[in-house]
Amino acid sequence: MPSFKAYNLEKQSVEVPGTRTPGATGYYRHAAFADGIVRNIREAPQLKTFYDVWQNSVTLYADNDFLGHRPFNTVAQTYGGYTWETYRQINQRVSAFGSGIMHLNEVILGNDQLNRWSLGIWSHGRPEWFISEMSCNTYNLVSVALYDTLGPDAVEYIINHAEIQIVVSSANHIASMLENADKLPKLKAIISMDSLHDTVPVPGATSASQVLRAWGAQKGIKVYDFNEIESLGRDFPRKHIPPHEDEVASLCYTSGTTGQPKGAMLTHKNFVAALGSNREGMILTSDDVLISFLPLAHIMGRVVDSCVMYAGGKIGYFRGDILLLLEDVAELRPTFFPAVPRLLNRIYAKLVASTIEAPGLVGALARRGVAAKMANLAAGKGVHHALWDRLLFNKVKMALGGRVQVILTGSAPIAKEVLSFLRIAFGCVVLEGYGSTEGMATATITMADEYIPGHIGCPRAGCEIRLVDVPEMNYHSTDQPYPRGEICIRGDAVFKGYYKDEKNTKETIDSEGWLATGDIGFVDNRGCFTIIDRKKNIFKLAQGEYIAPEKIENVLGARCNLVQQIYVHGDSLESTLVSVVIPEPETFVPFANSIAGTSVILGDLEGISKLCKDPKIRAAVTKELEKAGKAGALRGFEFVKRVHLSTDAFSVDNGMMTPTFKVRRPQVAEYFKEHIKAMYEDIHNSTPAAKL
């Protein structure tokens, strides 16, 4: 089970003396590592690459169960329990698959054997994902994760940008690649993670695999299944080609905000540094069991998995359906549950409904129990209570299988009340981490016994942080009571740069190795950091997706003739967007009249104001914005879910626009804050609880 080192909660990080410069704070380091940050795995400094880490685990834990999944019974149409493969067995498959793709690339496709190349991986987490990635590390190749929510255009861009010739994919993505083969001139082979050796149900009929292979041949793309490549590798085995620590292990493409995704070049040194830094905070063991469902195209998921792998623990993958996740959790009974705020919010809502909001005696007892445990937590007395755990919360723990010792949340902020409730409800450590793709998701984390919510903790052992002035937003390192500024991080986990993108690399990393995050924060007297703003008008929704509101406003304003002015609002504690629209009278009035059956005329401000308040009209405008969003190729999470209509136009005079006629976002948000609040309340009240 996980263990944690005890640190001083009242002095979590310190500013290194003599490191202040004009316009910035000094360097803040974890208080226990003030003399120097961690740059490797201190207990195993000989491990320099991710390949070294894997071979170390194979040596130490060869016969331990490692990767598990729930096989699907095609006859019964049901999923079974978890089946496992050991570290030794997975290592054998890594060597076989790695040898197979090397033979495929050099002998079958005829590529130069001296060139390092990139392998695309497109699937949710499963054993074949790990085998594909570790094969790249074993044969000194570069893994490139593809991700569904980036959209087909982004996937096409990444395959071409990274010059990927071979993609390993779950079967459901093969057709889309073949359909777009003309746009993927580099793509030469697709390897299906799912078997293509299906039986022909009727004599003389054509199987799905035959269709795919024939379609691929027509497009000049060879189609194989995973087992075929492993078999090829066993027939033509290759010696391992250990990488160097400074070589790129993976290209991790960020979702971006405007323009195309950027490929962060993550080196072997980055992976080892992140692992070493995480090891200083939480020590996992071979007894630990992880439920792996975070997207492995995002670096947080891979860092978490690698921490368990290094410790010799077990990784059980979910089935790929987030709505069935808790069924997988109940079957696996993990000890380690990494998550994102959106999921934890759903769990919180379900628990609240069944406890403190429950009717009768159950609700009354739950409210007393929650109050008692919250009081203990606020007083720094921990998350356990002998009486209330026995009466109530031991049953609550079963929602996550009953064995969870650690919940880790990241990728977006989580509300204070949710964090505290989860701590006392599950009686376990709940950690909140902060980081970015460019820094291996390893910048700050809260301490295990933290009882004050609302911040992102202190620097990791392998990271140092400083705050840099942002004068145009009135944030300064000299601010009182606490220094404020852009959060910049430095350490061996910071990436090498963006692939084929020197301009953005230089804008993101300075000559001293400081990574500019774009997040504005402050550091308090305990040495804890809190994020308060973004340097640019970019933010994350609760599920971790970046939003560029001005881009969305431009799309909707250009494509919906009902709009005179529009402001799109999002909140990192919410998963959806809402908007304030100032209608264009000439088009809005007849449109609204046709819906409401009224005869308001242009110039009738009172009549137009009444139309704006009509729920049917607001709903109709929302649908028109949805049409505009689809026409403008917005992604699903970029659509606005509610609209407030107003005749109070944004202007320079009322302070809601600049002299150059740009919207002053904070001022608009403040002016319409009650309406924004009401829109979110309406969303919450009208959305049925999602099935967990």
Side-chain angles (χ1 to χ4, degrees), residues 354-369 388 391-392:
S354 63
T355 55
I356 59 177
E357 292 182 354
L361 182 60
V362 171
L365 287 173
R367 287 188 287 275
R368 288 185 63 186
W388 290 111
L391 290 178
L392 178 64

Side-chain angles (χ1 to χ4, degrees), residues 67-70 85 90 93 121-133 168-173 191-195 226 292-294 296 305 315-320:
L67 299 183
H69 74 288
R70 300 183 66 184
E85 292 176 278
I90 292 298
R93 294 188 66 188
I121 309 174
W122 193 3
S123 169
H124 63 77
R126 52 191 289 177
E128 292 81 5
W129 210 110
F130 178 91
I131 292 166
S132 298
E133 180 188 35
V168 185
S169 167
S170 52
N172 59 311
H173 297 307
I191 302 169
S192 172
M193 293 182 180
D194 302 290
S195 175
F226 210 86
S292 180
F293 68 93
L294 297 177
L296 297 181
D305 284 13
I315 299 174
Y317 295 103
F318 83 132
R319 286 170 287 172

Side-chain angles (χ1 to χ4, degrees), residues 8-159:
N8 182 3
L9 286 177
E10 301 310 311
K11 183 55 66 176
Q12 298 188 24
S13 70
V14 295
E15 187 178 16
V16 178
T19 59
R20 290 191 183 186
T21 55
T25 65
Y27 314 159
Y28 282 83
R29 293 175 181 164
H30 190 298
F33 302 94
D35 293 335
I37 61 175
V38 172
R39 298 188 180 277
N40 56 14
I41 304 170
R42 290 199 299 162
E43 66 201 41
Q46 75 278 11
L47 306 180
K48 303 292 186 183
T49 68
F50 205 20
Y51 169 76
D52 294 341
V53 173
W54 168 239
Q55 290 302 311
N56 180 71
S57 293
V58 171
T59 300
L60 295 176
Y61 310 110
D63 296 319
N64 285 23
D65 286 341
F66 177 38
L67 299 183
H69 74 288
R70 300 183 66 184
F72 183 69
N73 187 316
T74 55
V75 176
Q77 293 291 298
T78 58
Y79 284 91
Y82 276 89
T83 62
W84 297 92
E85 292 176 278
T86 66
Y87 281 80
R88 188 195 309 274
Q89 289 170 325
I90 292 298
N91 190 46
Q92 291 169 348
R93 294 188 66 188
V94 165
S95 292
F97 185 77
S99 295
I101 58 174
M102 294 293 283
H103 186 84
L104 170 63
N105 180 67
E106 295 170 17
V107 179
I108 298 176
L109 300 183
N111 289 317
D112 187 341
Q113 61 180 337
L114 297 179
N115 290 337
R116 294 187 80 218
W117 49 277
S118 298
L119 179 74
I121 309 174
W122 193 3
S123 169
H124 63 77
R126 52 191 289 177
E128 292 81 5
W129 210 110
F130 178 91
I131 292 166
S132 298
E133 180 188 35
M134 195 53 68
S135 294
C136 290
N137 296 326
T138 300
Y139 289 92
N140 200 14
L141 307 175
V142 180
S143 64
V144 184
L146 305 172
Y147 189 33
D148 306 53
T149 61
L150 291 176
D153 291 343
V155 169
E156 173 191 319
Y157 171 81
I158 293 169
I159 290 175

Side-chain angles (χ1 to χ4, degrees), residues 368-378 382-385 388-389 393 423-427:
R368 288 185 63 186
V370 168
K373 293 196 72 173
M374 284 290 194
N376 273 1
L377 179 65
V383 296
H384 298 291
H385 192 289
W388 290 111
D389 284 349
F393 293 102
R423 282 174 172 157
I424 62 101
F426 290 110

